[in-house]
Amino acid sequence: MDHFDSFGSTGMDAVWMGSCGWPAAAATTGGEQEAVDLRRGPWTMEEDALLAGHIAAHGEGRWNELACAAGLRRTGKSCRLRWLNYLRPDVRRGDFTPQEQLLILELHFRWGSRWSRIAREMPGRTDNEIKNYWRTRVQKHAKQLKCDVDSRQFRDVMRHLWMPRLVERIQAATAMPAPSLEHAASPVYPLSVAPACRGGVGMCHSPETSTVTTSSTAGSSVSLEVHFPSNQLVLTAGSGTNWSGSGSEQCGSGSARSEDMFDGSWSELLARACDDGADSVVFPDFELGESRDDKWSLEDIWLQHQY
DNA sequence: AACGCTATCAACCGCTCAAAC
DNA sequence: GGTTTGAGCGGTTGATAGCGT
């Protein structure tokens, strides 16, 4: 579906269009011939190759100039976006693992919709991808519960129901003696944001390797190791199962879909927390314990699940 | 098979900010 | 100090794959 629309550009883009040096025959505006046909829409393989090749040879930056020099009829903005969100070699694709989902929830609670900030803590994932995940998955379920995604109720549901459930899933997965192929291929996510150090918990930023060991209800232990400076999180089951990974395995769209954390019995669990006949959802009266308000962390979730 | 609906995600838009001039 | 330019951000849109009827 290639199309060459006239480009509804910002002023800045219009300046670039006039300076790019495309042949006059390519100009579209009737009078001044200062704008060229700019491609919009999906990128072709040829365009990808042009962009990637040019960046490999000359590096990134100065995107408008780069677009011209590479012979791309795209705005610099478009080139930048394509590179950052898709072509960059370290971009990871595929579904978010439970670890990643947990991290997104934690970081969103901490920083809100600062997607680029969140993405910085999740190497290989783009702000766009994280934003899409939040809007399509998380917001969808907030809508189903008839509450605002930023409301205290929804946060409590996330904290007391969904996040522990994710932790359970991680723990259950790590306790499996022989991980399935799907799990084995799921990269264990580099956890670059470790909760602040507290007494009695060996998880903090400073050491080369820091470890949190917790136990699932089944009695198997789970170790979280954060290696610095590589920031790689290693989940180690008590049996010695070790699923570390760098996470480039799930390229393309053909990878097995990981479960949505809200699927199946999860929705039923939430449904039980709701009052059927009410216009709005009645949430359980959560025991908030010490960490009231929003001052909590992944560490809290992990610790709550030790028992 | 055809159609409609929904979910997903790549791409775009409008805006802000900072650096350079 | 004002303007221009490049870069980046969050929000939104549109194409399409997948699913149910």
Side-chain angles (χ1 to χ4, degrees):
Chain A
M1 171 182 311
D2 292 343
H3 52 291
F4 288 76
D5 294 345
S6 58
F7 187 66
S9 66
T10 63
M12 189 175 70
D13 295 322
V15 169
W16 170 78
M17 281 188 278
S19 62
C20 196
W22 288 108
T28 55
T29 54
E32 301 179 1
Q33 293 194 342
E34 62 181 9
V36 299
D37 279 332
L38 286 170
R39 281 186 52 80
R40 298 177 65 191
W43 281 62
T44 64
M45 290 179 64
E46 289 75 19
E47 288 178 307
D48 283 347
L50 272 176
L51 180 58
H54 190 85
I55 290 175
H58 303 99
E60 53 184 291
R62 301 189 70 80
W63 293 101
N64 285 337
E65 288 179 20
L66 187 152
C68 288
L72 287 161
R73 299 188 177 212
R74 297 272 185 176
T75 65
K77 265 177 129 174
S78 182
C79 292
R80 173 183 165 271
L81 205 63
R82 182 64 176 173
W83 174 253
L84 293 178
N85 287 346
Y86 197 86
L87 294 176
R88 222 174 25 160
D90 58 334
V91 167
R92 281 187 41 209
R93 314 202 66 76
D95 294 315
F96 287 103
T97 64
Q99 290 93 334
E100 288 175 310
Q101 294 175 33
L102 197 55
L103 192 54
I104 289 171
L105 298 183
E106 148 83 354
L107 295 180
H108 189 275
F109 284 147
R110 190 179 299 182
W111 295 320
S113 301
R114 298 173 63 190
W115 307 116
S116 62
R117 183 71 187 87
I118 294 172
R120 277 201 289 272
E121 307 298 339
M122 301 178 69
R125 295 297 190 179
T126 67
D127 56 351
N128 210 30
E129 203 175 7
I130 295 167
K131 180 172 58 182
N132 280 333
Y133 171 80
W134 184 265
R135 300 184 76 88
T136 59
R137 313 286 178 87
V138 181
Q139 284 194 344
K140 177 183 75 176
H141 292 281
K143 193 176 179 181
Q144 286 175 351
L145 293 172
K146 297 177 182 176
C147 62
D148 189 272
V149 74
D150 293 321
S151 68
R152 176 62 183 275
Q153 290 103 323
F154 190 68
R155 283 172 174 243
D156 282 346
V157 168
M158 299 279 267
R159 177 187 168 192
H160 295 281
L161 290 175
W162 293 354
M163 295 179 77
R165 179 69 171 231
L166 279 172
V167 170
E168 283 177 4
R169 281 182 54 191
I170 296 168
Q171 290 174 339
T174 54
M176 289 163 57
S180 67
L181 195 59
E182 176 187 350
H183 282 112
S186 298
V188 175
Y189 204 77
L191 180 66
S192 55
V193 176
C197 253
R198 291 186 194 170
V201 180
M203 190 170 183
C204 56
H205 274 293
S206 53
E208 289 293 317
T209 298
S210 180
T211 302
V212 165
T213 300
T214 183
S215 302
S216 69
T217 51
S220 59
S221 65
V222 174
S223 296
L224 266 173
E225 292 185 11
V226 183
H227 299 276
F228 292 88
S230 63
N231 283 347
Q232 185 176 41
L233 168 69
V234 179
L235 278 176
T236 307
S239 61
T241 308
N242 191 342
W243 306 352
S244 60
S246 56
S248 58
E249 304 88 347
Q250 293 190 351
C251 293
S253 57
S255 61
R257 295 188 68 82
S258 67
E259 280 181 53
D260 188 314
M261 69 174 181
F262 308 108
D263 280 352
S265 60
W266 192 228
S267 298
E268 296 161 16
L269 181 67
L270 270 175
R272 285 200 296 272
C274 305
D275 185 3
D276 286 340
D279 287 338
S280 59
V281 175
V282 176
F283 295 97
D285 186 17
F286 295 115
E287 176 55 58
L288 295 178
E290 295 180 3
S291 52
R292 298 190 62 83
D293 301 325
D294 295 328
K295 290 182 172 55
W296 55 274
S297 68
L298 271 180
E299 177 192 340
D300 298 326
I301 305 292
W302 277 98
L303 289 176
Q304 285 168 10
H305 262 69
Q306 285 192 34
Y307 308 106

